[in-house]
């Protein structure tokens, strides 16, 4: 029995992809585990694995290691907040005496207030704060580069395209790799669908928009209220209303894309990410799901076995953890 067989309804108008046919949503929702892996014509792959974030940490360390032994520049864009992976990579750098002189690291995004003032680097719940304190400062002093190599959003670089231009300057046209994980409305960084700041008349125009300030959508605020920096308690009043973020231009300029889908709400396996992961990876490539543009270039999305689980509990009442 399909979800809409007994009671058909149009999804709420504020949702991204709310105009997709119900049959298309049902198709996306019911993709089987054995059908989820693929590589498309652009060189973008989907792989199912147990621990996507472990693979991301290993990949990032390996690239930093190569930048040292081959004496080549390496520029990357990093998701926030991610202190567990930051600290793992930093420890591997220290244990293996890897010099990071050639590395330029960029934080994806940062909070801003209602007037567009970007959160200071001292803000404890800040994304830049985590990026510097749990990553850069964990690297041994003799191995880490000058702090100017660790880039984060500020009031000085929040203008449209300014942060993007810094990435392009450091990375010879763009980042070598962008690491990311999709959010509840299908955003990458804080590029939310349906916002005035990232409005465009076509996908082609959208892909050219650089970094800047954005007003967060309700789903983004709800999502972030579930994360530890905001108390992990649904405290939507603790989430700043705006953000500074990279833009679609930075995703497209990156020479490689690396995504992880593995967010769980609890040990039972509940997750808000299960459906948006499928919409991004198997639905249309569009501005309605900004993260879907990752599929336009070379890259890999590692999806956890937990996120790849079926939605059967929606239909027969069996708790998710008993499937």
């Amino acid at each position: 029995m399909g979800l809409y067989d007994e009671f058909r309804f149009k999804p709420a108008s504020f949702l991204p992809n709310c105009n997709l046919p119900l049959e298309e949503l049902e198709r996306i929702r019911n993709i089987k585990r054995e059908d989820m892996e693929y590589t498309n014509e652009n060189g973008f792959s989907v792989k199912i694995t147990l621990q996507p974030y472990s693979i991301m940490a290993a990949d990032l360390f390996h690239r930093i290691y190569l930048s040292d032994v081959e004496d080549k520049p390496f520029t990357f864009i990093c998701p926030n907040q991610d202190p567990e992976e930051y600290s793992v990579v930093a420890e591997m750098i220290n244990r293996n005496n890897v010099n990071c002189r050639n590395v330029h690291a960029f934080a994806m995004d940062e909070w801003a207030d209602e007037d567009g003032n970007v959160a200071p680097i001292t803000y404890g719940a800040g994304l830049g704060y985590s990026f510097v304190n749990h990553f850069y400062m964990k690297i041994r002093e003799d191995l880490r580069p000058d702090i100017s190599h660790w880039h984060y959003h500020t009031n000085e670089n929040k203008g449209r395209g300014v942060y993007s231009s810094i990435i392009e300057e450091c990375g010879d046209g763009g980042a070598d790799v962008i690491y990311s994980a999709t959010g509840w409305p299908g955003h990458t960084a804080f590029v939310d669908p349906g916002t005035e700041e990232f409005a465009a008349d076509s996908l082609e125009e959208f892909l050219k928009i650089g970094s800047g300030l954005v007003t967060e959508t309700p789903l983004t605020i709800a999502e972030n209220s579930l994360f530890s920096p905001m108390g992990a308690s649904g405290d939507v009043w603790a989430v700043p209303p705006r953000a500074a973020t990279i833009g679609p231009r930075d995703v497209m300029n990156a020479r490689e894309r690396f995504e992880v889908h593995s967010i769980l709400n609890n040990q039972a396996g509940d997750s808000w990410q299960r459906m948006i992961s499928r919409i991004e990876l198997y639905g249309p490539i569009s501005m309605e799901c900004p993260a879907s543009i990752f599929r336009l270039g070379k890259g890999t999305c590692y999806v956890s076995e937990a996120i790849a689980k079926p939605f059967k509990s929606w239909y027969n009442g069996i708790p998710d953890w008993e499937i």
Side-chain angles (χ1 to χ4, degrees):
M1 178 186 296
L3 178 66
Y4 306 107
D5 288 354
E6 290 186 275
F7 182 51
R8 293 180 69 84
F9 56 88
K10 182 176 174 59
S13 59
F14 72 86
L15 294 172
N17 290 117
C18 64
N19 292 316
L20 278 180
L22 298 184
E23 291 73 18
E24 175 66 0
L25 288 171
E26 191 76 335
R27 179 193 68 80
I28 293 168
R29 185 178 290 120
N30 290 323
I31 292 173
K32 296 179 179 179
R33 160 68 177 79
E34 58 266 28
D35 298 325
M36 295 183 75
E37 294 189 324
Y38 68 82
T39 299
N40 71 12
E41 65 278 9
N42 300 317
F44 182 85
S45 300
V46 174
K47 296 183 178 181
I48 313 300
T49 185
L50 285 173
Q51 294 289 344
Y53 274 100
S54 297
I55 298 173
M56 188 189 87
D59 184 88
L60 178 54
F61 167 72
H62 181 65
R63 293 174 192 262
I64 293 174
Y65 167 79
L66 289 179
S67 76
D68 180 17
V69 297
E70 296 179 354
D71 198 21
K72 294 180 179 179
F74 173 52
T75 299
F76 69 95
I77 300 172
C78 211
N80 278 304
Q81 293 184 10
D82 207 5
E84 293 89 352
E85 278 61 50
Y86 294 160
S87 58
V88 167
V89 175
E91 178 61 17
M92 292 301 293
I93 288 169
N94 294 340
R95 288 186 58 156
N96 291 279
N97 296 305
V98 177
N99 192 297
C100 299
R101 66 192 180 282
N102 294 318
V103 174
H104 274 274
F106 286 83
M108 270 193 159
D109 39 32
E110 183 59 277
W111 306 112
D113 67 16
E114 65 278 9
D115 297 318
N117 298 303
V118 178
I121 195 65
T122 54
Y123 176 49
L127 309 178
Y129 175 89
S130 179
F131 189 58
V132 171
N133 286 276
H134 296 297
F135 198 167
Y136 179 82
M137 295 302 294
K138 295 293 184 182
I139 299 172
R140 212 168 66 219
E141 189 172 1
D142 61 311
L143 298 176
R144 64 190 184 216
D146 186 83
I147 187 62
S148 63
H149 284 222
W150 235 250
H151 307 266
Y152 48 87
H153 294 269
T154 66
N155 281 322
E156 287 68 40
N157 60 35
K158 68 181 180 182
R160 179 62 65 193
V162 175
Y163 199 70
S164 296
S165 295
I166 300 172
I167 296 172
E168 291 158 12
E169 180 181 355
C170 293
D172 191 23
D176 291 296
V177 60
I178 175 173
Y179 297 94
S180 185
T182 195
W184 208 339
H187 63 217
T188 184
F190 280 122
V191 183
D192 277 357
T195 60
E196 178 182 348
E197 295 91 345
F198 286 102
D201 293 328
S202 66
L203 180 60
E204 291 71 24
E205 181 183 331
F206 176 73
L207 297 177
K208 297 176 183 178
I209 302 176
S211 60
L213 290 166
V214 66
T215 302
E216 297 164 38
T217 59
L219 274 181
T220 289
I221 291 175
E223 171 196 334
N224 281 278
S225 75
L226 301 176
F227 291 140
S228 296
M230 274 64 193
S233 302
D235 187 354
V236 293
W237 299 270
V239 183
R242 303 190 73 194
T245 178
I246 62 168
R249 163 177 148 193
D250 303 303
V251 175
M252 299 311 298
N253 281 344
R255 286 176 277 280
E256 192 168 346
R257 297 143 193 83
F258 192 111
E259 267 216 307
V260 289
H261 293 182
S262 64
I263 295 176
L264 299 179
N265 300 350
N266 51 42
Q267 292 301 313
D270 300 337
S271 177
W272 53 256
Q273 199 178 42
R274 192 169 285 128
M275 183 59 177
I276 195 59
S277 171
R278 285 163 168 78
I279 289 176
E280 176 193 337
L281 299 176
Y282 309 101
I285 297 175
S286 72
M287 295 179 286
E288 281 288 289
C289 182
S292 66
I293 68 174
F294 271 64
R295 290 156 52 195
L296 293 173
K298 178 185 176 183
T300 305
C301 180
Y302 290 93
V303 179
S304 72
E305 291 284 0
I307 296 299
K309 287 175 63 174
F311 290 36
K312 290 180 181 177
S313 57
W314 283 24
Y315 305 140
N316 57 21
I318 298 176
D320 186 71
W321 58 87
E322 292 184 5
I323 294 177

